[in-house]
Amino acid sequence: MLKNMIKHFILVSRHKWEVLKLSIKAGIPIRGILHDLSKYSPTEFFGSIKYYTGNKSPICKEKLENGYSVVWLHHKGRNKHHPEYWYDNNTPVCTPIIPFKYVCEMICDQLSAGIVYQGKKWKKEYQLEYWNKQKQTILLNDKLKNMLDELYNQIAENGINKIITKTNLKKLYDTHTCN
């Protein structure tokens, strides 16, 4: 238990560090600082320790064992960078356009998760490959899905450093959401 606690704390902290670095590049440093603070809350931290694997999110293991995840329910309800925070099946627009700063944080979060979990195996094409496997099942506004398609293709071609800039992200966001 103590070993998993230490490993999980290090993993979460590495993830937050990667998100902060990308958030600074994206022009949203405050979102990077505030990113995933709920992971240190008792509900998420101790639940994640219980299902810790080291090579993927503990949420996956908890869902596999229980059919749902208390950690995920807590996390998505407190973090606006997750699309699940924003949708409601009972509203006229089930998947609204998420505000720009949270879309940027979501992108930084997704890239960081790949970097941290893949380690030295991570390559610039990874996020596009991952996105292409999951995009049909994620509830996200189609305009934002199209934005992510274009963004992850850009990253696969040119890498993170050239593509993750506030100017580029804002241009993509405006192009896909303002028409």
Side-chain angles (χ1 to χ4, degrees):
M1 178 81 149
L2 181 60
K3 186 176 177 182
N4 281 359
M5 184 182 298
I6 292 167
K7 285 183 175 183
H8 180 65
F9 179 81
I10 290 169
L11 185 74
V12 169
S13 298
R14 277 184 49 223
H15 172 71
K16 280 190 56 57
W17 176 245
E18 291 296 330
V19 170
L20 177 60
K21 291 189 306 187
L22 290 169
S23 294
I24 290 168
K25 288 181 62 50
I28 54 162
I30 298 301
R31 296 303 325 146
I33 292 167
L34 298 175
H35 179 77
D36 279 355
L37 287 177
S38 69
K39 285 189 176 185
Y40 298 108
S41 71
T43 299
E44 292 183 38
F45 191 76
F46 293 110
S48 293
I49 290 167
K50 180 177 179 183
Y51 297 100
Y52 181 80
T53 65
N55 58 4
K56 62 181 172 179
S57 172
I59 290 167
C60 297
K61 187 175 179 187
E62 185 182 13
K63 284 181 178 181
L64 191 62
E65 287 187 20
N66 301 324
Y68 70 99
S69 169
V70 171
V71 171
W72 175 241
L73 291 171
H74 188 273
H75 186 73
K76 73 177 180 94
R78 285 155 181 81
N79 292 281
K80 295 178 181 182
H81 64 276
H82 289 287
E84 296 84 354
Y85 177 92
W86 295 94
Y87 69 75
D88 182 340
N89 291 333
N90 296 322
T91 61
V93 180
C94 173
T95 56
I97 299 290
I98 299 169
F100 175 71
K101 67 182 178 181
Y102 300 117
V103 170
C104 288
E105 185 180 355
M106 174 183 64
I107 291 163
C108 295
D109 181 43
Q110 291 174 352
L111 289 167
S112 171
I115 290 166
V116 169
Y117 284 120
Q118 292 299 304
K120 292 180 181 175
K121 295 186 298 184
W122 188 87
K123 57 186 181 182
K124 64 183 182 173
E125 298 83 10
Y126 175 80
Q127 191 60 44
L128 177 61
E129 293 166 5
Y130 185 81
W131 171 246
N132 283 332
K133 289 177 195 171
Q134 75 163 10
K135 70 181 172 184
Q136 298 306 319
T137 59
I138 189 169
L139 285 173
L140 183 67
N141 187 284
D142 286 340
K143 291 179 180 184
L144 294 175
K145 282 185 177 183
N146 292 336
M147 177 196 166
L148 294 177
D149 281 335
E150 186 172 349
L151 175 72
Y152 294 143
N153 273 293
Q154 287 180 357
I155 291 171
E157 289 178 28
N158 300 302
I160 287 176
N161 290 331
K162 188 172 181 183
I163 301 304
I164 300 299
T165 66
K166 186 172 187 173
T167 303
N168 188 52
L169 293 172
K170 185 67 171 148
K171 179 182 171 197
L172 285 170
Y173 182 84
D174 290 346
T175 299
H176 288 280
T177 62
C178 293
N179 47 4

